[in-house]
Amino acid sequence: MSHDDETLVRDLLTRAADDLPAGGPRAQALLVAGDRAVRHRRRVAVAAAAAVTAVALLGVTALLGVRPAPTPADREGPPTVAPTEFDPAQQLFRLTWLPDGLPERSLNARSDHQTIGAALFRPIGNTKGRTLVRSVTVAVTARGVNFFAQQLTRDNQMSGKLRTGPTPWATPPGSSVAPVQGHPAFLHTSPNGREIVLSWQYAPDAWVTVTGVNVDRAAEVLRRVADGLVWDRQPLRVPVEPVALPAGARLSQAQVSWRDNRWQWVRLGFQAPGSSGVDPDFQLGLERFDESNDTNGTNGTVAGRPAATYDGYRGYGQWSVGELPGCPGCRADVSTQNIPGRTFLGGPDAALGLAARVRAVADPDDEAAWRPL
């Protein structure tokens, strides 16, 4: 889902899609978030002297995106009938292996799909912009979601063609290849050869896709990633305390990104009552202040705390408040994506007030202390 097309990954290129925080088993939250049973076994093992060495070794491999291969008991197995909507408060799967050299990590849980991404970016000169070097993204779709329509659109964009009429290249899902986890699988290559997609149906009309961008030996790498996918439904955890919202707000998206061995930003997206589609009407969350991309900077205060506001066009706006208690160098953000979201929150003053009430958990850098949604 997150690829090198700049119109699709604008947010990912201007912010971090971020690396794993260090500091223990929970540091690899992206790969094993919510895996309480594994953490319990580790805590028991730490009580023994021999396990100290094992835990230390695990801390090294965690930074490389590596976990031991799953045993049959670890696998819950995919659902036999996929839902038409996922619960964004639940993480559906984890990965036991990702290739080296992709230090940035992201988790995106939506009602229509869920992704885990790993990427390497290169800065663009002295700007805050970055360009994608290579990436691997695993996506699980809800029943009826047409991932391949988006892939075909990107294929057409890459080749300079409009998405009309027959295409002169193979269309997704692509050629039949060896099964993945017992399911018929397919491999698709984009017209320019940059994107390789391994896919299979985990349930009728519901797909898993593993997409590599500029990945060497892509077919081999993507299959190894796919073989290490473990279905493991667990509560998704975030470093944001609950905050009162207007009645009727519904969670529709949860995103966490890591960079430089620590979480970098967290966003929770909500829909107003009566909203259609799957995109959020407004978002709130936390961000490392050094990742601010506001062009206006601080332009006000709220209760003595620095604030930045941007009231944009057609309901888009962003309201940020710094000096977050208990989270040095952090700020709280609230943004509206459309007029219904802006109206639902009560306008700019109410949105800024909501940002001022957002708080981090007691120790946001200790992922074991993060709260379940």
Side-chain angles (χ1 to χ4, degrees):
M1 300 280 180
S2 297
H3 303 278
D4 57 338
D5 184 278
E6 291 188 1
T7 63
L8 298 177
V9 297
R10 179 177 62 240
D11 189 57
L12 196 56
L13 295 178
T14 54
R15 300 174 185 258
D18 311 287
D19 198 6
L20 302 166
R26 286 294 299 171
Q28 189 65 311
L30 175 62
L31 300 178
V32 292
D35 190 1
R36 291 182 237 174
V38 173
R39 292 201 311 275
H40 175 72
R41 289 194 296 269
R42 289 181 188 145
R43 286 195 294 267
V44 172
V46 168
V52 173
T53 301
V55 171
L57 291 175
L58 179 59
V60 173
T61 58
L63 295 178
L64 302 177
V66 177
R67 288 292 179 185
T71 66
D74 288 328
R75 295 190 182 275
E76 292 182 359
T80 56
V81 178
T84 55
E85 288 189 0
F86 294 138
D87 179 359
Q90 297 285 317
Q91 181 168 340
L92 303 176
F93 67 98
R94 56 186 171 91
L95 304 176
T96 62
W97 185 83
L98 281 168
D100 295 344
L102 302 177
E104 308 202 8
R105 301 286 192 261
S106 61
L107 169 64
N108 183 10
R110 292 167 48 105
S111 58
D112 60 340
H113 71 268
Q114 187 169 123
T115 64
I116 291 176
L120 173 67
F121 292 89
R122 181 175 58 244
I124 301 176
N126 295 323
T127 71
K128 291 183 179 179
R130 301 187 301 155
T131 184
L132 180 65
V133 177
R134 59 182 173 273
S135 66
V136 172
T137 304
V138 180
V140 174
T141 68
R143 176 160 47 95
V145 173
N146 189 353
F147 169 84
F148 299 111
Q150 300 174 24
Q151 183 66 48
L152 184 57
T153 297
R154 285 194 299 276
D155 287 353
N156 286 322
Q157 291 171 339
M158 292 174 192
S159 62
K161 304 292 184 181
L162 296 177
R163 192 184 164 209
T164 57
T167 58
W169 54 83
T171 56
S175 303
S176 179
V177 293
V180 174
Q181 296 191 8
H183 298 278
F186 304 87
L187 194 69
H188 172 71
T189 303
S190 65
N192 62 5
R194 296 188 65 191
E195 288 191 18
I196 310 294
V197 184
L198 176 65
S199 62
W200 69 96
Q201 287 194 74
Y202 68 90
D205 203 22
W207 291 79
V208 178
T209 62
V210 185
T211 302
V213 177
N214 295 333
V215 175
D216 294 335
R217 304 188 322 277
E220 172 188 340
V221 169
L222 300 186
R223 180 166 291 276
R224 185 172 176 186
V225 173
D227 287 341
L229 184 153
V230 178
W231 297 91
D232 186 17
R233 183 184 297 272
Q234 297 287 345
L236 198 156
R237 295 174 177 269
V238 295
V240 185
E241 290 286 8
V243 59
L245 298 174
R250 183 172 71 92
L251 181 70
S252 64
Q253 185 175 25
Q255 298 172 281
V256 185
S257 289
W258 291 261
R259 182 180 179 183
D260 298 331
N261 297 335
R262 62 178 186 172
W263 68 270
Q264 198 61 38
W265 53 263
V266 179
R267 297 193 199 105
L268 305 178
F270 297 86
Q271 289 184 321
S275 289
S276 59
V278 296
D279 293 327
D281 297 314
F282 69 95
Q283 295 178 316
L284 64 84
L286 303 179
E287 184 177 22
R288 302 283 185 182
F289 191 75
D290 56 8
E291 284 298 304
S292 170
N293 64 352
D294 280 342
T295 56
N296 295 333
T298 300
N299 53 16
T301 60
V302 175
R305 297 166 58 193
T309 64
Y310 173 75
D311 196 1
Y313 183 57
R314 291 187 176 178
Y316 176 79
Q318 183 171 356
W319 297 267
S320 304
V321 179
E323 296 183 1
L324 196 67
C327 190
C330 300
R331 68 177 192 175
D333 287 325
V334 169
S335 64
T336 55
Q337 315 302 311
N338 49 38
I339 293 175
R342 175 190 172 104
T343 302
F344 179 70
L345 288 183
D349 290 344
L352 185 60
L354 175 59
R357 296 194 302 273
V358 174
R359 294 288 185 273
V361 296
D363 186 356
D365 286 325
D366 178 9
E367 294 191 33
W370 289 12
R371 72 167 183 94
L373 288 173

